[in-house]
Amino acid sequence: MGFQLTSDAFTYVYTQALLKALDMIEQDMNAGNDPRDTWSASQRQLLMGSDIPPPKYCDPEYCVVDEVPGCLNYELPTFGFWGARVEDRDDGLNPYAGQPQNWNVWHQDNDLWYMVGKQDQAVFQNREDKEICRHLDACGGISAQKVDDGMVVFRLPKMEVGLVVICGCCGKNVGNDLFLNNPLIEISFNTVPIDRSEWDIFPNAKCVRVLKRFPTSGRESETPTGHHYLGVRLLSDNPTPVRISHVITL
């Protein structure tokens, strides 16, 4: 999903900005000025979302809310609010309570030297503290392969549009094989199976958009418990594990 690239880019940009700010404060002090007169946070203009120009590139279907999408992410490391969550199979609000729900969380078991540079490996491989080199990044997902694994039920967070996307693990192009073109999988919204013809690859090849917007009629539009639910189950044993790495909602 590019999160590591984005994280590194932000770190670099903010570090450069911090160094530049220190230089500017030092210039003020050397000139005999109180830097607080210029840089005090209380003097800054407070900008709101409405002050920002409209985006140049944004799907009008989803540019109608101020909130960012929610995302349940099984990759490591993961921080922040997770959005959707797996419903307890015995919870009274679970619409599939009592049915088999045996999907398990899986994470890739990486070698100690995974993504560690060869120069660093050469220095640390014989040291007692070599464990500090371990890269924390690991692919992951909630996984099932057998029909006996039953269903995984996600309680979805508050949504404004009704967009629901699931992504697969592992690989850049697994959306087709795991979901879109896999006749052995069924995905339901509020207990009603979603018509497979409504799915599409979005926003990249590892993800499938199973719901573009809220249903406007039928059982799938009803929320007697106050929550929307996404159910995923295998209709037959799958040749390979089906692993859901992300559930994205808006």
Side-chain angles (χ1 to χ4, degrees), residues 73-228:
N73 180 7
Y74 284 101
E75 296 179 343
L76 296 177
T78 297
F79 307 97
F81 180 66
W82 56 84
R85 75 174 199 186
V86 174
E87 185 64 283
D88 188 314
R89 61 181 169 186
D90 296 321
D91 191 286
L93 297 180
N94 188 335
Y96 300 95
Q99 298 185 32
Q101 297 174 40
N102 301 316
W103 290 52
N104 292 304
V105 175
W106 168 91
H107 288 106
Q108 198 165 34
D109 185 18
N110 294 324
D111 179 80
L112 171 62
W113 305 112
Y114 171 71
M115 295 185 72
V116 176
K118 292 185 177 181
Q119 291 181 333
D120 289 335
Q121 181 177 343
V123 171
F124 283 93
Q125 61 184 355
N126 295 319
R127 287 177 45 162
E128 293 182 358
D129 60 348
K130 61 187 176 183
E131 186 66 31
I132 67 173
C133 297
R134 182 180 294 276
H135 198 292
L136 299 180
D137 178 65
C139 293
I142 191 163
S143 178
Q145 185 173 0
K146 304 294 185 182
V147 68
D148 291 343
D149 291 328
M151 178 172 289
V152 58
V153 181
F154 298 100
R155 181 195 290 189
L156 304 180
K158 180 177 180 289
M159 298 186 291
E160 298 292 334
V161 177
L163 170 70
V164 181
V165 175
I166 61 173
C167 303
C169 178
C170 299
K172 302 291 186 183
N173 302 289
V174 297
N176 272 308
D177 291 340
L178 289 184
F179 310 121
L180 191 63
N181 296 323
N182 184 359
L184 304 182
I185 195 170
E186 179 185 83
I187 301 176
S188 301
F189 186 73
N190 292 338
T191 73
V192 179
I194 305 172
D195 186 347
R196 182 179 296 273
S197 66
E198 298 178 1
W199 306 358
D200 63 345
I201 296 293
F202 178 91
N204 59 44
K206 69 179 293 184
C207 303
V208 169
R209 177 169 51 182
V210 298
L211 200 67
K212 295 181 179 180
R213 64 190 67 84
F214 285 124
T216 57
S217 63
R219 170 64 187 87
E220 58 268 40
S221 67
E222 301 173 3
T223 55
T225 66
H227 299 283
H228 293 285

Side-chain angles (χ1 to χ4, degrees), residues 25-76:
I25 291 172
E26 185 179 33
Q27 290 174 8
D28 270 350
M29 296 177 68
N30 290 339
N33 301 321
D34 187 341
R36 289 173 295 185
D37 294 339
T38 303
W39 307 109
S40 175
S42 64
Q43 304 300 320
R44 295 178 193 160
Q45 181 183 3
L46 181 62
L47 297 177
M48 307 298 290
S50 57
D51 299 314
I52 302 174
K56 291 185 177 180
Y57 306 102
C58 190
D59 188 333
E61 185 81 41
Y62 306 125
C63 278
V64 295
V65 296
D66 294 329
E67 292 79 10
V68 297
C71 183
L72 171 62
N73 180 7
Y74 284 101
E75 296 179 343
L76 296 177

